[in-house]
Amino acid sequence: MSTALSPRSTPSPGLGYFKGIGTVFGLEMKQRLRSRGWYILLGVWFVVIGLVAAFTAWVTDQQTDAGQVLFELMVAFVLFFALLVAPALSANAVNGDRAAGTLAVLQVTLLRPGQLLAGKWLASWVASLGFLAASVPFLLWALALGGVDPAIAAVSILMLGVELGVVCALGVAVSTLANRPLFSIVVTYMLVALLSIGTVIAFGLSTPLVRGTVEANVPQWKGSAYPQPSDAEAEFTCMGPLFETDVYHTDRTAWLLAANPFVVLADALPYSEDNLSGGPLEGIGQAVRYAQAGAAASGPECINGEPRADDVPASLFPIWPLGLTVQFAGAALALVLAWRRPPAACPAAGGRHPDRLAASLS
């Protein structure tokens, strides 16, 4: 029997669509809460995050913005570990039931394929959010140190939850399309690696393709006998003969980084000039903005006799909306493919009502 979520029978008038989703969600959550493996994994997660928090707090203890740096490091580590845990919680949601012999029980009910997919996705998402909840005490520890903007903290937790939902959607869709649980888990991890690592590799490999040349001048620094003074705010003029120099127009390929979960998280944080602390997420966000600006921000000091604009990255449009759109589109496409998979050869209409099934399995 295939792992397709069928039959496509019409539910009874007494069963609403969202009530069917709730029935599947309840069954899935009861099954997960009865499993000792989920609690063991949650305990390991709590210990690992605690060790990371303790080590990070020890390293950043002498910094003036220790709270902000600790919070950003903790959020980055939580996202990293979440990308490792979420596929394991979702990538066997459908074909795992098939291997256990419980998928056929759901297939002969009056549930629609969309209800099964939505219920299993919600259950996987809630289970993964439990790991995010286990990290909250350590995030509160960083907040207690001070220096963290409440808006940044709220957006960080919100974006972490959204990224977990995207990964769980991909995992549930792949588990529907694949017959073997191990294969679907590997494929989901490969998709996560494509988003988090593959986008960076693609951006790096594309850099030689956007190399170009511009006419530059040698900057003449005012009040200094050296080519460049130590004062970063020293003034200069663009004089002298023009010469060609190589630049990289990364503004043409910065979109390759948009779907990266770390880029989406870092670029979505509402930083301002008053709350910059040099944390890792802030660094990722600034690096992406400079990549968007290309040669206008990272090229020579003087281009065609004009000084380089220093405020270009700050004036650029954020890239995280594009990244979320790409992630949502990919997850939606995967779920649609899973929903439209051809029906399996199993009994169709006349199956048991989901409510009675839930009562018998609870």
Side-chain angles (χ1 to χ4, degrees):
M1 182 183 294
S2 170
T3 60
L5 297 177
S6 59
R8 298 178 181 271
S9 56
T10 303
S12 64
L15 177 65
Y17 194 85
F18 293 102
K19 187 176 181 180
I21 295 176
T23 299
V24 178
F25 172 77
L27 290 173
E28 287 288 314
M29 290 306 300
K30 288 179 181 179
Q31 184 178 4
R32 292 176 184 272
L33 293 175
R34 290 170 180 172
S35 175
R36 289 187 302 175
W38 186 78
Y39 295 100
I40 294 175
L41 193 59
L42 192 63
V44 173
W45 168 282
F46 186 84
V47 172
V48 171
I49 294 296
L51 292 176
V52 171
F55 179 76
T56 305
W58 177 67
V59 172
T60 60
D61 182 51
Q62 302 301 323
Q63 297 187 15
T64 55
D65 297 322
Q68 179 71 24
V69 175
L70 175 61
F71 182 82
E72 291 191 16
L73 284 171
M74 288 304 306
V75 170
F77 274 113
V78 169
L79 178 59
F80 172 73
F81 289 127
L83 294 178
L84 297 178
V85 171
L89 297 175
S90 60
N92 63 345
V94 177
N95 50 24
D97 284 353
R98 173 183 178 270
T102 58
L103 180 63
V105 179
L106 294 175
Q107 285 179 310
V108 297
T109 65
L110 300 178
L111 291 168
R112 291 181 177 181
Q115 291 173 310
L116 291 172
L117 276 175
K120 289 180 175 293
W121 168 62
L122 286 175
S124 302
W125 191 12
V126 171
S128 64
L129 288 177
F131 291 86
L132 177 58
S135 308
V136 169
F138 304 105
L139 297 178
L140 293 177
W141 179 15
L143 291 174
L145 295 178
V148 182
D149 189 345
I152 293 178
V155 173
S156 299
I157 297 177
L158 175 63
M159 297 305 295
L160 283 174
V162 170
E163 291 299 321
L164 287 175
V166 171
V167 175
C168 288
L170 290 173
V172 171
V174 173
S175 71
T176 306
L177 298 171
N179 290 324
R180 298 180 179 274
L182 180 59
F183 178 76
S184 61
I185 292 176
V186 172
V187 171
T188 305
Y189 274 117
M190 291 179 64
L191 292 176
V192 172
L194 177 64
L195 291 175
S196 57
I197 302 177
T199 52
V200 178
I201 295 177
F203 175 77
L205 293 177
S206 68
T207 302
L209 302 178
V210 294
R211 185 173 63 181
T213 58
V214 295
E215 297 289 334
N217 306 82
V218 177
Q220 304 295 322
W221 298 90
K222 296 181 180 180
S224 175
Y226 299 96
Q228 183 173 353
S230 58
D231 186 4
E233 298 182 355
E235 297 182 359
F236 63 90
T237 58
C238 296
M239 301 176 60
L242 296 174
F243 62 93
E244 285 192 353
T245 183
D246 292 335
V247 294
Y248 293 93
H249 299 283
T250 55
D251 52 300
R252 304 171 184 173
T253 57
W255 58 270
L256 292 171
L257 298 171
N260 190 298
F262 293 92
V263 171
V264 171
L265 173 62
D267 195 57
L269 299 183
Y271 288 110
S272 64
E273 295 182 358
D274 298 331
N275 61 359
L276 297 180
S277 62
L281 294 180
E282 178 195 330
I284 293 175
Q286 291 294 324
V288 172
R289 295 298 176 88
Y290 274 97
Q292 287 181 270
S298 57
E301 294 285 352
C302 296
I303 301 178
N304 294 325
E306 298 293 334
R308 186 179 64 193
D310 294 332
D311 59 345
V312 171
S315 62
L316 291 173
F317 187 76
I319 200 174
W320 67 267
L322 173 61
L324 275 186
T325 302
V326 173
Q327 291 181 358
F328 288 165
L333 177 61
L335 290 174
V336 169
L337 292 176
W339 176 73
R340 293 181 60 86
R341 185 171 180 180
C346 59
R352 300 182 63 184
H353 195 281
D355 287 344
R356 292 193 291 271
L357 174 64
S360 63
L361 295 180
S362 61

